[in-house]
Structure formats: C-alpha cells, structure tokens
Amino acid sequence: MTDLASSPPPPAAAPARAVRQDLLNSKPPPNYVAGLGRGATGFTTRSDVGPAAAAAAPSLGRGRGNTPYEDEGGYEDNGYDENQKFDEFEGNDAGLFSTADYDDDDREADAVWDTVDQRMDLRRKDRREARLKQEIEMYRASNPKITEQFADLKRKLTDVSVQEWESIPEIGDYSARNKKKRFESFVPAPDTLVEKARQEQGHVTALDPRSSAAGGTETPVTDLTAVGEGCPDSVSGLAVVDPKGYLTDLNIMKITSNAEISDIKKARLLLRSVTQTNPKHPPGWIAAARLEEVAGKLHSARQLIQRGCEECPKNEDVWIEACRLASPDESKAVIARGVKAIPNSVKLWLQAAKLETSDLNKSRVLRKGLEHIPGSVRLWKAVVELANEEDARMLLHRAVECCPLHVELWLALARLETYDQARKVLNKAREKLDKEPAIWITAAKLEEANENTQSVSKTIERGVESLQREGLDIDREAWLKEAEAAERAGSVLTCHAIVKNTIGVGVDDEDRKRTWIADAEECTKRGSIETARAIYAHALSVFVTKKSIWLKAAQLEKSHGTRESLEAVLVKAVKYNPKAEVLWLMHAKEKWLAGDVPAARAVLQEAYAAIPVSEEIWLAAFKIEFENNEPERARMLLTKARERGGAERVWMKSAIVERELGNLNEERRLLEEVLKLFPSFFKLWLMLGQMEDRIGRGAKAKEVYENGLKHCPGCIPLWLSLANLEERINGLSKSRAFLTMARKKNPATPELWLAAIRAELGHGNKKEAGSLLAKALRECPTSGVLWAAAIEMVPRPQRKSKSSDAIKRCDHDPHVIAAVAKLFWHDRKVDKARSWLNRAVSLAPDIGDFWALYYKFELQHGNADTQRDVLKRCIAAEPKHGERWQATSKAVENSHQPIDAILRRVVLALGVEENPNVTEP
C-alpha cells in the first residue's frame, strides 16, 4: 500500500474546492487505511466485531497488512455506524444485531426471561416494601412535618373565644423590600417668589370656584410671604382656616369615582331614549327620576317625574313616585292631583291618608276614598282601625254590606257585637260564606265565652257536617292548627271539640293508634298541651284497653298537669285495664309520693285482688312498708309471698329486712335456703359473701364467692368482690392472679381491666398500671371507663391530647364527658365545665356519681338557684347506679335515706381523685 504522500497530485486544471468535494463523496481506493501514512493505525476490539469474528481475525499492529474489513470491494456496507450510541446493557452488540430478524424463538425466550424477572421481583417485594416503609418512617421521625410539630398548639386553638380571635391584630407587610424610602426635602421659598407675591398682593382661594357656585364660601389664605416665613397666627399660633366653607362643601359633596360618573351618563342617555321613544311607559319615567336622585340632582328628578305624570296620568306608580320625590309642602298637592286623575286607586288613597298627621284627617281621606271605592277591603280595614268601638261597629255594618264575601270583616263585626247580635251576624255570614270554616270556629268560641259548654261541641260537629255537605275537603292538619290556635286564645273547649270531630278524618283504621300518638307527641313538643290532652282523650275513647296510650296520657299529666288530673287518668286506666300491673303500680306510687300512704295501700290491695299472682305488687307493698319504717309489716308480707311461691327477688328482699333488723342468723338461713332453690342468682351469693366479710369471716366469704363463681362464672361483680377480698387478705399478687383468671374467662370486659389497673396504682406500680391500660385499650378500644382512667393517669400537659383521642373514640360516653368536664373544672373554665357536666348527666341520668360530681361543682362555683336545680333534677331522675352511689345508698345506715341526703353523702365521700383542686403531677 502506497503512502498518501507518494500518490500523484491532482490535476492542476481542476479547482481545489472541487477536488475536496469529490474526495468526500467518492469511495476510498482499494486497500486504503485512513491515517496509515502518518502512523495513526486503528485497532479492533471484541466488542467491535463480535466474539466469533474476533477469534478469526488477526490482531493489528503498526506494520502493514490487511484489516478484517478489507475485501476486494472495499468496506462492506452492513448498516454498522461507528458513531452509534452505546447501549448500557448490550454494549455495542445492539448495533451489531439491529438488522437481525426477531422470530418466534426470540419472542419465546424474551417471554421466559420476563417471567423469571417477575418471579424474582415478587420474591423480593415484601422485603423491599418493608425496607422502604422503614426508611420512610425513619425519615419522618427525623424530619417531622410542620403540622405534626404544631399539633398540640392547634388543639389549643379550640379554646380560643370569639373575642380573643377578634382582638388578634391584622399583620401588615413589614418587609424591608416593600418599604419605599420617601425622600423628603425641605427647600425654602426663593426670595424672588416671595417678593413677587408680595408685590402682586395675590390671594389664592382654598376651594374650587365650582364649589362656591354649589353653596360653598371662599376661604382666602394669608399672603405667601407669611407662608414662606412660617409666621404663625398671632392669636393661637395656628393658621387661620374658616371652617364654615369647608363644612358647607363637605355636606354637599358626593364622592363618586370616574367609573360611576361614566355609568350614570350612560344610564341617563339610555333612559332618555326610553322616555322619548315610548313616553307612555311609566317605568321609564320612574327609572329616569330615580337615576337623577341617585346622581344628586333632585330638581331634575322632580321635573322628570312631573313629565311622567303628564304623559301617564292613569298610572298610580308614577303618582306615588312623584309624591315621594316632592317636598313635604308639595306632596299633598301632588297626591291630590293623582287621586283626581285616578279616583279608583286604593294605593293613592292610602298614600294620601299616610301624608296626614292626625287620625281625624286620615279618617276623612279614607272615607272620601270609600265614596269612590266602596268595595275596597283595605280601605275599610284602615278606616276601622282609626275609629273607636262604636264608630267601628257602624263602619263594619256598612263594610259587610259592601264586601259580603270577606270573612275578616264579618268576624271583626261579630267580636264587637253583643252575644245575641254576634250570633245573628255569624248566621248571616254563614249564609254568604257557606264554605268558610273560620265562621263555625268563631261561633264555637262565642258559645264558650258565654259559658254555653254544651253548644261548643255541637257547633263544631254541625260545622264539619255542613262543610262536608258543601263539598269541602276536611284537612286534618289544618284543623289541628286551628285547635292549637284556639288553645292559645284560651278556648280550651273549642280546641277539644275540634280535635274530637276532625282527628280521625282521612286516617285508616289500622293507622289510627300510631298516627294519633305521633300527633299528640308533636303537639307536646310545640307546647300545645291541651291539644295533646284532647288527642289522648279521643284515642282512649276508641282504644280503651290499650295500656300504652294510658301510660302516655298519664305521663303527660305527670309532666304538665296536676295531681288531680293525673289521679283521674290513673283511676280510669286501672278501671278499664285491671290486669295491667304497671298501671296499678304507677297509681300506688303516685299516691305514696303524694304522702297518702293509706291510699297507696288501698290501691295495692285492689291490685292484689285483680292480679293475685303478681310478684311486682307484693314487692311494691313491701317497699311501701319498708320505706315507711314498718319492718314487721314488711316481713309479714314477704313471708306470705314466699309461702305463695315467691321468686328469688322476694327471698332477697326478705334477707334485706333481716339484715336491717340485725338478725344475722336469720339472714344467713334465708340466703343459704334460697341459694339451694336459685343457685344462678348472683346477687344472693354477693349478699352472703358480703355478710360474712362484714362480720370478719374472710375465709368463709372467699369460699362463698368461689362457690358463686362456679354457678355464675360470667358474673363480674363476684370476680371484683373476690379480688378485693384477696387483696385485703393475701396481698396484691393473689388479687392479680384472680383478676387475670377473670379476664381470661370474660374477655373484653372493661371493669376487670379497670380493677387490675387500680390495684396496681394502689400499690404504687405506675409503670405496670400503664402497661395494663395500654393492653386494655387495645382489647376494649371504645370503653369510656378505660379512656376516662387514661385521661386521669397521664401527666397534666398530655391530658388535653388524651381527652381529644378519647372523644374521637367514644364521643357520647358519659364517663369520658365527665372526665373532660373535670379538666375544665381544674382549669377554672366554669362555663365549659358546667356545660360538659350537664351533658354527662343528660346522657346517663341513672348514674348517681355524675350527679354528685355536678352537685359538688355547683357547690363550689354556682349559686343557690343552680344548686337547687341540680338537686331537683337528680331527685326526678332517681339514680340507682354508679360506683360510689351504690356503695353509699346500699349501706345499712342509709337504707331509708331520701335521694337528696344520699347525694350529699356521696359528695362528701368523693375522694381526692374526684377533686380537681388538688395538686396533681
């Protein structure tokens, strides 16, 4: 191969640019190697030619020889580009096989490898996701969000009142970049200006000349020499300013933007076109006049509306607008021209009467209008309102002649007439308006007002029949509203008559009971007690043996009636339902609460005669004797009840009587005897165990509790009593073992968890108590008693967040509500604490502990009225449950105490944990 230097030079005739272009576009000569002449020989690697070709091709050196790419035809054009992009996975082989065919074998191989990749990816997925989750948690722990950092501060925002929010100042822009430095320069006035002003003796007006034309005054300023010298006023040291001119112009000034002025001009132009093209269109004149009024040109507005009155003399709206825009002196003249042009316009006559100042002149104007429009009800009403009673009666006689179809005029006349004349008036009204229910209702009210009680129901009955004959549909809802209106007006008999004759209209027989009870409850909610009473009375006349209706009627009388009305309802109830023991018991209880013990005994005797096998009646009779300190009579009743085959409750009451009398042997004998008959009644085991514990026989009490658990393994009070006994006798470890066993046999029981937590806290094991509480909340996540304990156990700074979590889990649990109330109590937020305590006793009125807490709060922060209200509500609720309430009320020394006495003793018995004023960690 010859060197490029020894090759013959190109022909001289060809230009140099053409030779270079020809060399670039032509194929290289045979055996040509670029750069070989200057020693820049190439080399080949395995990635350039592939493994097979690399093995067959000899390595290149600096000497001469053929390259693997040489052949007779020079370089082979096989689509290979030496400047191709390097593939990260295949290297340069991607370019080598880019022209190869992709057949089914290749496709199958790729599918196999894809399946392998997917399988390997699934095997690593769990580890990869776990690792990713751990990395995310570590990152979030080390880099918490802003919202998490300020979470506790956000919770505190709920305590900010509206006044505190409003007192927060608005933040302004205090950044330095937005503050523009104001360059102020103080340059004295040049002497030439001062001298020229002095020579000219010129005065400058402070106001624009146009302002003086509008009513302002010119206020001259002192000469500019004095201004330049800064000479103060000789009197007060201040510049003299005449305030009258400024105040006058400020009064007439109307601040308007350029846009508003432009809009007014456009609107004026448009309305001018309207009034010119259609001058008989009244709204156009009214709009144009109001536009000028808004623009401050009242004179132009009056001129425009005057032209409108001339163009549209028969339109009352134009005249009323002209009267409004006119001055007070001219308004009467304007309205006079209006009524002259339109004498039949009611609006104009009413407007004319409104312009008068005295009632006499107003009445004259209205009567003048009635001469032109005798059939106007509005004019008649207006003139009657201005007249006295005698004149009003005369006017109404004339009014019903002119307007015989208007019921209000007839009713007004009937109210002003005497009884006989009113009846005649209503009869005439009925002839004219035979489909008007109000006339019949007014007639019934008239009869009731004159004490004709027998005629009230007949009148309503005749009215309903007459209206139905005339084809009028009786709307039951509308008539009930009329009954409520009659009750509010004091016409009780009319109300009852309306209900009696219309309550059953349009109601199917099978829906009557449900519909009537719903109507009565709705009337009670709206405060219409007499209407509800009438509905119940009618329902009981139809369903005389329905116990549920009698109970609701009795409850209504108990809440809103008197003792006499309640007594009457209960007497009828037991008369028509002699087998309903709940009615007998309610009757006897009301007698007992009224202090009439002999009457209560008599009622129970009648009840026993009607239902001789009723255990509830026996127990009610026992309770009356027991509560009235008659233990011997109570013992005799219970003995008879046991002989007649009394159930376990009768035996239990017998043991209670013996316990109060101090007969331990008899009490033990009764309990042991009844346990043979009723071994599954857990209260008997509790009473026997408590009796043994009370006399100091702990081992015997433990044996009783264990025997009781054999028969009642799911009884939580037995487990708790046994655990407390073991803690007192054998210490915490034994009690802990029993509580653990109890939780295994009775899972998800918050009371057992709470007992275990309190046992640990009682011995100072706070860490163990916290661990137990966490386990308890996992097992019982919606238990209010556990969340309340959690709120009390955490340190004070964490209690708000813990209470927030508790409310989210169990919002309507009274224990949580009471715990939050104690937090507010501790923070001296009296109103919030009172609100939350009231919510707690409303949610659970049967739990006496909440009432005691509420009463203690009112004793500290309330007054006599609030304390009396809480006490009254507690007595009405008659609470029977609660940890401290039961311990106090069931004590032997408190067996006959009333509810208010027990409430006060529970308040005294509240421990340190119930007192928010103690120092807490």
Side-chain angles (χ1 to χ4, degrees):
M1 176 178 176
T2 59
D3 193 356
L4 185 61
S6 62
S7 61
R17 184 179 300 274
V19 172
R20 289 180 60 85
Q21 197 171 22
D22 184 57
L23 285 173
L24 291 173
N25 293 329
S26 61
K27 290 186 177 182
N31 300 327
Y32 171 76
V33 179
L36 186 62
R38 62 180 185 275
T41 59
F43 59 92
T44 304
T45 64
R46 183 182 298 273
S47 63
D48 294 331
V49 298
S59 61
L60 294 177
R62 295 174 75 74
R64 299 174 61 181
N66 294 333
T67 64
Y69 300 102
E70 295 178 14
D71 58 6
E72 295 180 356
Y75 283 101
E76 182 180 357
D77 190 8
N78 57 359
Y80 176 75
D81 184 10
E82 63 180 2
N83 296 322
Q84 65 184 348
K85 184 177 180 180
F86 181 78
D87 187 86
E88 294 182 357
F89 180 71
E90 297 180 344
N92 284 337
D93 290 344
L96 180 64
F97 297 106
S98 61
T99 58
D101 294 334
Y102 188 74
D103 54 7
D104 294 339
D105 294 339
D106 296 332
R107 190 176 294 104
E108 182 180 0
D110 289 341
V112 171
W113 285 111
D114 290 341
T115 305
V116 173
D117 291 340
Q118 293 177 2
R119 179 67 179 273
M120 297 300 294
D121 184 68
L122 288 175
R123 292 177 59 183
R124 304 187 189 99
K125 182 179 180 181
D126 295 338
R127 293 197 300 270
R128 183 175 65 252
E129 290 180 351
R131 185 174 64 254
L132 179 62
K133 182 179 180 181
Q134 183 179 3
E135 292 176 356
I136 292 174
E137 291 177 353
M138 293 176 60
Y139 176 77
R140 288 180 178 175
S142 59
N143 300 282
K145 297 181 180 178
I146 298 295
T147 56
E148 296 176 356
Q149 296 179 11
F150 293 95
D152 55 340
L153 298 178
K154 280 186 176 181
R155 291 193 185 100
K156 293 180 181 179
L157 292 178
T158 57
D159 300 333
V160 179
S161 63
V162 178
Q163 293 77 13
E164 292 174 343
W165 273 112
E166 293 177 351
S167 63
I168 297 176
E170 296 290 339
I171 188 64
D173 189 1
Y174 296 103
S175 57
R177 63 179 182 180
N178 292 330
K179 290 185 179 179
K180 296 182 179 179
K181 295 183 179 180
R182 300 175 62 183
F183 178 74
E184 298 180 357
S185 62
F186 302 94
V187 180
D191 294 340
T192 55
L193 177 61
V194 174
E195 183 62 24
K196 185 178 180 180
R198 187 184 64 78
Q199 292 176 359
E200 293 179 356
Q201 296 180 356
H203 294 277
V204 181
T205 59
L207 300 176
D208 188 65
R210 291 176 295 180
S211 66
S212 62
T217 59
E218 296 183 356
T219 305
V221 183
T222 55
D223 61 282
L224 292 179
T225 305
V227 173
E229 294 174 354
C231 298
D233 182 64
S234 59
V235 179
S236 60
L238 301 175
V240 177
V241 179
D242 180 19
K244 294 182 179 179
Y246 283 99
L247 293 176
T248 304
D249 281 0
L250 286 174
N251 288 332
I252 65 171
M253 188 181 299
K254 192 175 184 76
I255 300 175
T256 54
S257 63
N258 294 331
E260 291 176 346
I261 295 173
S262 176
D263 293 340
I264 289 175
K265 289 181 178 179
K266 291 179 182 179
R268 184 182 290 122
L269 187 62
L270 178 63
L271 291 174
R272 185 182 301 162
S273 174
V274 170
T275 55
Q276 289 177 357
T277 57
N278 189 8
K280 302 299 182 181
H281 185 59
W285 293 106
I286 296 174
R290 290 183 179 177
L291 177 66
E292 297 301 333
E293 182 186 10
V294 172
K297 297 183 177 181
L298 188 59
H299 184 67
S300 300
R302 291 171 179 169
Q303 290 179 346
L304 282 173
I305 201 64
Q306 183 62 33
R307 288 181 56 194
C309 293
E310 295 172 359
E311 295 290 343
C312 310
K314 298 297 182 181
N315 186 270
E316 58 186 10
D317 294 332
V318 177
W319 287 106
I320 292 176
E321 187 69 18
C323 179
R324 187 182 67 83
L325 292 174
S327 62
D329 298 333
E330 298 176 355
S331 58
K332 292 184 180 181
V334 172
I335 204 67
R337 293 197 300 271
V339 296
K340 185 176 182 180
I342 318 173
N344 294 328
S345 174
V346 178
K347 284 185 179 180
L348 292 181
W349 285 109
L350 291 174
Q351 183 66 25
K354 192 183 296 183
L355 294 176
E356 299 294 339
T357 55
S358 64
D359 292 344
L360 181 60
N361 292 335
K362 289 181 179 181
S363 180
R364 288 176 179 174
V365 171
L366 292 173
R367 294 188 184 196
K368 189 71 174 177
L370 285 172
E371 293 178 3
H372 294 86
I373 323 169
S376 173
V377 178
R378 294 176 61 190
L379 290 179
W380 282 112
K381 287 183 178 180
V383 73
V384 167
E385 288 177 358
L386 296 173
N388 56 33
E389 184 176 350
E390 187 63 31
D391 293 340
R393 186 185 296 111
M394 297 175 60
L395 288 170
L396 284 172
H397 273 289
R398 177 61 180 163
V400 296
E401 293 177 3
C402 298
C403 309
L405 300 180
H406 201 277
V407 66
E408 290 187 14
L409 297 177
W410 287 103
L411 298 181
L413 178 59
R415 283 192 291 268
L416 294 177
E417 292 288 357
T418 60
Y419 172 65
D420 296 331
Q421 292 297 325
R423 293 184 67 180
K424 295 179 181 179
V425 169
L426 290 175
N427 288 331
K428 291 181 180 179
R430 251 192 332 259
E431 295 174 0
K432 299 291 184 181
L433 301 167
D434 53 358
K435 294 184 179 181
E436 184 56 54
I439 298 175
W440 293 97
I441 296 174
T442 304
K445 291 180 181 179
L446 179 65
E447 298 295 339
E448 183 178 357
N450 287 273
E451 298 182 356
N452 295 330
T453 57
Q454 300 296 329
S455 302
V456 175
S457 180
K458 293 180 180 179
T459 302
I460 295 297
E461 184 178 356
R462 287 172 52 203
V464 172
E465 292 175 356
S466 175
L467 292 172
Q468 288 176 341
R469 281 197 306 268
E470 295 295 334
L472 184 68
D473 292 334
I474 302 299
D475 187 356
R476 196 176 67 90
E477 299 295 333
W479 280 88
L480 280 180
K481 290 181 180 179
E482 291 292 342
E484 294 184 42
E487 177 186 350
R488 290 191 294 269
S491 302
V492 177
L493 295 179
T494 303
C495 168
H496 284 244
I498 292 173
V499 171
K500 179 181 177 181
N501 290 279
T502 60
I503 191 65
V505 176
V507 181
D508 296 334
D509 292 345
E510 59 271 15
D511 296 334
R512 288 184 299 176
K513 177 185 173 183
R514 176 179 54 81
T515 304
W516 291 346
I517 291 177
D519 291 338
E521 291 176 350
E522 290 297 324
C523 290
T524 306
K525 291 179 182 178
R526 291 193 294 267
S528 302
I529 305 303
E530 287 295 335
T531 307
R533 185 177 285 123
I535 294 174
Y536 280 132
H538 181 73
L540 289 173
S541 66
V542 178
F543 303 102
V544 70
T545 59
K546 292 295 183 181
K547 180 176 60 177
S548 59
I549 304 179
W550 285 108
L551 287 174
K552 289 185 178 296
Q555 189 62 39
L556 177 69
E557 297 300 335
K558 185 176 181 179
S559 302
H560 303 282
T562 61
R563 289 190 180 275
E564 291 76 14
S565 61
L566 177 59
E567 172 71 15
V569 170
L570 290 174
V571 167
K572 291 182 180 180
V574 297
K575 177 182 178 182
Y576 292 107
N577 298 269
K579 299 298 181 181
E581 65 179 15
V582 63
L583 295 175
W584 286 107
L585 294 175
M586 188 175 184
H587 192 189
K589 183 177 180 181
E590 292 302 326
K591 288 289 187 181
W592 177 51
L593 292 176
D596 193 353
V597 177
R601 290 172 179 163
V603 170
L604 289 176
Q605 287 178 359
E606 295 179 10
Y608 175 73
I611 319 173
V613 295
S614 175
E615 181 180 329
E616 295 295 333
I617 294 176
W618 281 102
L619 293 176
F622 152 75
K623 184 175 181 181
I624 288 178
E625 305 299 341
F626 185 70
E627 295 295 337
N628 286 278
N629 294 323
E630 296 285 348
E632 294 298 331
R633 295 173 64 98
R635 177 190 288 174
M636 181 180 65
L637 287 171
L638 292 175
T639 303
K640 290 182 179 181
R642 293 199 307 270
E643 292 174 356
R644 295 173 183 268
E648 58 268 20
R649 291 182 61 198
V650 175
W651 289 87
M652 182 181 70
K653 298 295 184 181
S654 301
I656 291 175
V657 173
E658 299 301 333
R659 181 184 64 185
E660 183 170 344
L661 294 176
N663 300 329
L664 293 178
N665 295 329
E666 184 64 19
E667 179 184 0
R668 183 183 293 107
R669 186 190 68 78
L670 286 172
L671 290 174
E672 291 176 351
E673 185 177 351
V674 71
L675 282 174
K676 297 176 182 178
L677 299 175
F678 307 101
S680 60
F681 191 54
F682 73 93
K683 289 186 178 181
L684 300 174
W685 293 105
L686 277 175
M687 291 178 64
L688 183 57
Q690 290 170 358
M691 184 197 70
E692 300 293 350
D693 188 17
R694 192 168 60 248
I695 62 178
R697 300 175 62 182
K700 183 64 176 176
K702 177 183 177 182
E703 181 182 353
V704 170
Y705 289 144
E706 290 177 347
N707 291 332
L709 288 173
K710 292 178 182 178
H711 294 89
C712 311
C715 179
I716 306 304
L718 279 176
W719 284 108
L720 296 178
S721 300
L722 179 59
N724 291 333
L725 181 64
E726 286 293 340
E727 184 179 0
R728 285 188 283 109
I729 297 177
N730 299 321
L732 177 62
S733 59
K734 199 69 174 177
S735 173
R736 185 186 295 152
F738 275 107
L739 288 173
T740 304
M741 185 188 307
R743 291 198 302 272
K744 289 181 179 179
K745 293 186 177 182
N746 301 277
T749 305
E751 292 80 5
L752 296 175
W753 285 104
L754 184 61
I757 293 168
R758 288 178 177 175
E760 299 295 341
L761 287 176
H763 290 78
N765 301 331
K766 295 184 178 180
K767 187 175 181 181
E768 183 65 23
S771 176
L772 283 174
L773 179 62
K775 294 178 181 178
L777 289 175
R778 283 197 298 270
E779 187 171 337
C780 309
T782 58
S783 172
V785 292
L786 291 178
W787 279 107
I791 294 173
E792 295 179 356
M793 285 176 59
V794 296
R796 186 186 299 176
Q798 301 178 12
R799 288 184 180 177
K800 287 187 177 179
S801 59
K802 183 64 72 173
S803 62
S804 177
D805 297 338
I807 291 174
K808 290 179 182 178
R809 290 298 186 116
C810 37
D811 183 20
H812 298 290
D813 191 278
H815 297 87
V816 174
I817 301 300
V820 176
K822 286 192 284 187
L823 291 183
F824 288 127
W825 186 358
H826 175 75
D827 294 337
R828 296 289 180 179
K829 297 179 180 179
V830 176
D831 294 335
K832 288 187 176 181
R834 179 178 288 112
S835 174
W836 284 74
L837 284 171
N838 182 59
R839 184 181 173 190
V841 297
S842 300
L843 288 172
D846 193 49
I847 300 180
D849 292 358
F850 300 149
W851 288 107
L853 193 65
Y854 196 5
Y855 189 63
K856 182 177 181 180
F857 170 80
E858 293 298 343
L859 289 175
Q860 292 184 4
H861 300 286
N863 50 35
D865 294 335
T866 57
Q867 296 167 13
R868 190 162 44 250
D869 179 65
V870 173
L871 189 61
K872 181 180 178 181
R873 291 171 60 191
C874 179
I875 294 173
E878 296 182 1
K880 295 181 177 59
H881 297 92
E883 186 177 354
R884 293 178 182 80
W885 184 271
Q886 286 182 324
T888 304
S889 62
K890 291 187 177 182
V892 177
E893 62 272 13
N894 298 328
S895 58
H896 297 289
Q897 295 295 327
I899 293 178
D900 54 346
I902 295 176
L903 178 65
R904 293 186 176 93
R905 295 195 179 189
V906 175
V907 169
L908 295 176
L910 286 175
V912 175
E913 66 275 11
E914 293 289 346
N915 187 1
N917 294 322
V918 298
T919 304
E920 298 181 18

